[in-house]
Amino acid sequence: MITAFWFLLGVVSITYLIDFTETSGRYDSLPGYSVPGVLYLTALRLPLILQQTVPFIGLFVGMATLIALNRKSELVVARAAGISVWQFMTPFLVGATLLGLLTMLVINPLAAWGARQGTEIETQWRGTSGSSKPAPIPWLRQSSGDNDVALGARAVLEDGALLVDAVLLHFDPDGRIILRQDARTAKLKDGYWMLTDVLETRPGEIQSRVADARVATNLNEEFVQQRLAKPESVAFYDLFRKIEVARSFGIAPYALETQFHSLLSLPFLMIAMTLIAATVSLKFSRINQSRTVILGGILSGFVLYVVTVLVRAFGSSGVMPPYVAAWVPVVVAMALGATILLHKEDG
């Protein structure tokens, strides 16, 4: 646990410096930019980045601690005393599980909150500037009577109730665009969208600008939240409820389900990383460990992480069931690690 603390401290420090430098370079031309603001924005983004690096921290902590015990001959003494590899590996596996639970129950909610706050700050900084390209926001389609409208936006705030730099395309019954409205903001009210600073464009007519406008809607706030919510901005405690609400609206919650199962499987992913660390670190070497073996352990952990992220993308898109995408790589990695240890240690 002490080694894990120092690794976490080192990763947090390096990540903060790198992200601060990168964020400063990306936003220094925006009207709302300030150094204290970037420091705060970087701190908000830190838990989300840390959450992604935790599996590698588990791998490096396991390798570093086992190699240190090997150099002190403590593992040799443990084996000579009749303690099996599974007995002296139990504290490592328990520590990895605790680190995974800490990430799932504490770091993830902080990361979700920081992601939402960071999005609001970035949107305020951008103002009307188009110099930065934010992540694409999915379009919504609403139909009520003869009113057929598609909505898009550059940013989504207030859990989906406020669209920034919104675009509304109005269609006639034949599917032709009859009106485009570009609004500075679109606020979801009870039964309508309240648009501000609206530029209206009709085919064959000169553009006109109005201070505000209303567009009737049959969408409610909870439905919009489900369609526009990013999985990384939803805390673990809220994911199950969000999934149930999405299903009640007939929305396929593949991304939310994949995120939910990925967080549930995180403690087991940490165990898999620890088993991989053990397979390359238990061989006794008093002076130095084989660099090839250590590199092999790092490469194996990296491959596991890449495969996990890749399969998770398949789950988020609905190509495969989310629980399969989240659990299969973890279970396979745990089985392989346990098999190698059984073969090397128990014959």
Side-chain angles (χ1 to χ4, degrees):
M1 298 307 293
I2 294 175
T3 306
F5 170 77
W6 286 113
F7 265 94
L8 282 170
L9 185 62
V11 169
V12 166
S13 302
I14 295 173
T15 302
Y16 190 87
L17 290 173
I18 294 175
D19 192 58
F20 171 77
T21 304
E22 195 252 340
T23 303
S24 298
R26 192 167 63 226
Y27 295 135
D28 59 356
S29 61
L30 298 181
Y33 170 85
S34 66
V35 174
V38 175
L39 290 171
Y40 179 60
L41 178 61
T42 305
L44 290 175
R45 291 160 47 90
L46 195 59
L48 183 61
I49 301 173
L50 181 61
Q51 176 182 304
Q52 298 169 351
T53 62
V54 162
F56 286 106
I57 292 176
L59 175 68
F60 294 141
V61 166
M63 292 178 63
T65 309
L66 287 170
I67 290 173
L69 292 176
N70 247 335
R71 289 183 176 178
K72 297 176 182 177
S73 302
E74 296 205 27
L75 298 185
V76 175
V77 174
R79 286 188 178 97
I83 300 175
S84 71
V85 65
W86 305 108
Q87 288 176 298
F88 64 72
M89 279 301 298
T90 298
F92 289 88
L93 300 179
V94 171
T97 304
L98 291 176
L99 186 57
L101 290 173
L102 175 68
T103 304
M104 179 177 69
L105 300 176
V106 179
I107 296 179
N108 173 259
L110 287 175
W113 176 80
R116 293 193 300 269
Q117 296 297 317
T119 301
E120 292 188 12
I121 292 174
E122 291 176 20
T123 303
Q124 293 171 3
W125 285 1
R126 287 193 186 100
T128 57
S129 172
S131 58
S132 297
K133 293 184 178 179
I137 302 299
W139 285 72
L140 290 175
R141 190 74 175 255
Q142 64 174 44
S143 298
S144 57
D146 296 332
N147 184 21
D148 189 6
V149 183
L151 301 94
R154 188 173 65 172
V156 179
L157 303 178
E158 299 182 11
D159 292 330
L162 179 63
L163 307 182
V164 179
D165 290 344
V167 178
L168 290 81
L169 302 177
H170 298 253
F171 299 89
D172 64 12
D174 296 325
R176 294 187 295 265
I177 298 177
I178 58 175
L179 171 64
R180 169 175 173 149
Q181 294 176 305
D182 294 82
R184 181 68 190 91
T185 61
K187 176 73 173 178
L188 182 60
K189 302 287 187 178
D190 187 14
Y192 64 93
W193 290 97
M194 186 66 191
L195 312 182
T196 60
D197 191 14
V198 188
L199 179 65
E200 296 186 340
T201 307
R202 290 179 172 85
E205 299 183 14
I206 298 175
Q207 291 180 327
S208 61
R209 185 174 292 277
V210 296
D212 54 68
R214 291 189 180 189
V215 176
T217 182
N218 56 357
L219 305 178
N220 61 36
E221 186 173 336
E222 207 163 29
F223 177 83
V224 175
Q225 288 178 12
Q226 300 308 312
R227 288 298 303 269
L228 301 181
K230 295 181 180 179
E232 60 270 18
S233 66
V234 181
F236 173 75
Y237 306 107
D238 298 327
L239 276 170
F240 187 77
R241 183 181 61 83
K242 292 278 188 183
I243 292 170
E244 293 300 318
V245 172
R247 285 174 178 164
S248 69
F249 285 120
I251 303 172
Y254 297 129
L256 293 173
E257 285 184 332
T258 303
Q259 176 75 353
F260 179 70
H261 285 285
S262 297
L263 290 172
L264 280 181
S265 65
L266 184 57
F268 299 93
L269 177 61
M270 299 299 297
I271 291 175
M273 287 292 190
T274 304
L275 291 175
I276 291 174
T279 59
V280 300
S281 306
L282 288 180
K283 185 178 179 180
F284 175 69
S285 178
R286 187 168 185 176
I287 300 176
N288 57 5
Q289 207 78 10
S290 171
R291 294 177 182 175
T292 304
V293 173
I294 295 175
L295 182 61
I298 296 174
L299 184 61
S300 299
F302 179 75
V303 169
L304 171 60
Y305 182 78
V306 170
V307 170
T308 301
V309 172
L310 180 62
V311 177
R312 193 180 301 167
F314 290 149
S316 298
S317 61
V319 175
M320 63 174 60
Y323 62 89
V324 173
W327 286 97
V328 166
V330 176
V331 172
V332 170
M334 289 178 61
L336 286 175
T339 301
I340 295 173
L341 285 181
L342 284 170
H343 177 72
K344 292 176 63 175
E345 298 290 332
D346 297 336

